[in-house]
Amino acid sequence: RSNILSRQYLVGVTDRARAIHNGFLNEAVQWGVHSLLLRMGVFYLAFRCARAGQAIYRRQQNFQDALMGLSLIGGLIAFSVGGFFGDYWDSEWGLQLVALCMGYYRIAVLRERELQSMEYAPAQFNPGPWGGMPNPMVPTPQWTRIGPVIPG
C-alpha cells in the first residue's frame, strides 16, 4: 500500500518517493557499494591523469596547457563536491570530465615523446635586409628543429 515504512512517525509525508540528496548514498543504494567504489575509482584515476599531465606541461614550461590541467582538476573537485551534497553523481557531465582528463594526459604524453624524439642543430645565419647584420628587432633562433630522430 505504501512505500514509506513507519508512516506514523513522519508527519505530513505523502506516498511519493523522495531523493536522498547525497550522491554517494544514492549511488550506493541504487546501484550498490561496488558501483560506488567503481565510480569513485574512475574519478580518482581521472584526477591522477590530470595531475600527471599538468606535471609534464610544467616540466616543459608550457604554462598555458598546465593551466588547463589545473582547470580540469578544479572541475573534478567541484563535480565531486556537488555530487557529495547533491544528487549529481549519475549525470553524464562527470563522465565527460573524466574523458577530458584522460585525453589531456594522453596528449601531454604524446607531446613529450615528440619533443624527446626531435634532433636540434645550430640555426643557419640569416643576414637579413641590412646585408650581414641580423635585424636586432627580430629575434633569431639559436637552434632549429631538424626533424624526428630515426632510430637505427
Side-chain angles (χ1 to χ4, degrees):
R1 174 179 162 210
S2 173
N3 292 353
I4 300 173
L5 305 173
S6 307
R7 175 187 233 151
Q8 65 271 16
Y9 299 113
L10 301 172
V11 179
V13 173
T14 63
D15 288 341
R16 294 184 320 165
R18 296 183 304 175
I20 299 174
H21 293 299
N22 289 92
F24 66 98
L25 290 176
N26 208 9
E27 184 80 20
V29 168
Q30 288 179 356
W31 294 98
V33 176
H34 60 282
S35 174
L36 173 67
L37 293 176
L38 180 67
R39 191 173 295 256
M40 289 175 70
V42 166
F43 275 97
Y44 178 71
L45 180 65
F47 177 76
R48 293 289 305 257
C49 283
R51 288 285 295 167
Q54 185 187 26
I56 289 171
Y57 285 127
R58 279 186 298 171
R59 208 170 32 245
Q60 296 172 0
Q61 294 185 354
N62 186 350
F63 297 115
Q64 288 178 340
D65 290 335
L67 184 63
M68 179 180 279
L70 189 62
S71 66
L72 287 172
I73 291 169
L76 276 174
I77 291 172
F79 185 81
S80 299
V81 169
F84 184 80
F85 292 110
D87 189 18
Y88 307 113
W89 276 95
D90 55 351
S91 68
E92 297 132 10
W93 291 104
L95 297 177
Q96 291 172 356
L97 196 56
V98 166
L100 281 173
C101 289
M102 297 203 180
Y104 173 76
Y105 174 69
R106 182 177 170 123
I107 290 171
V109 168
L110 290 176
R111 279 190 186 172
E112 185 179 42
R113 287 182 186 164
E114 180 185 354
L115 286 176
Q116 288 174 351
S117 70
M118 291 294 172
E119 182 179 341
Y120 290 89
Q124 298 289 329
F125 177 70
N126 183 6
W130 289 282
M133 301 255 329
N135 185 353
M137 303 304 281
V138 178
T140 57
Q142 298 296 319
W143 298 91
T144 184
R145 187 171 74 182
I146 292 175
V149 176
I150 300 173

